[in-house]
Amino acid sequence: EPEVIPNVMFYMKLTQQDMARILDIDARTLRNWRKNKPKLYDIVMKGFAVDKAIDESKKNYENLRDMVGTKNS
C-alpha cells in the first residue's frame, strides 16, 4: 500500500491544476491517478515534495552563506 504524503499540496501551495499543468496532463488525469493508481500518484507527489525540499535547501544554503559572509562558494 502506498505511503500518502499528507497535505503535500497545501505545503507546496500547488493546486491539482497547477501540478497537472507542470506534468502536461489534464487535472482529471491526476485525480484519476489518485483514485485508481495510488502508487503512481504517490510517486508523483513525492517527486513534487523532493523538488520543494531541494528549492528550500538551496534557499537555506544561500541564507547561511550570506550570514557568514562568504559568497565565493
Side-chain angles (χ1 to χ4, degrees), residues 4-46:
V4 177
I5 300 173
N7 300 320
V8 72
M9 287 181 284
F10 174 77
Y11 174 69
M12 295 174 35
K13 299 187 189 232
L14 289 176
T15 65
Q16 282 195 341
Q17 288 181 341
D18 294 332
M19 289 186 280
R21 206 172 297 117
I22 291 166
L23 295 169
D24 197 26
I25 61 172
D26 189 82
R28 207 171 348 167
T29 300
L30 193 57
R31 287 191 295 274
N32 286 339
W33 289 352
R34 184 176 187 181
K35 182 179 178 183
N36 301 318
K37 296 183 183 262
K39 289 182 182 180
L40 174 60
Y41 183 81
D42 185 54
I43 290 167
V44 170
M45 292 301 106
K46 286 179 180 177

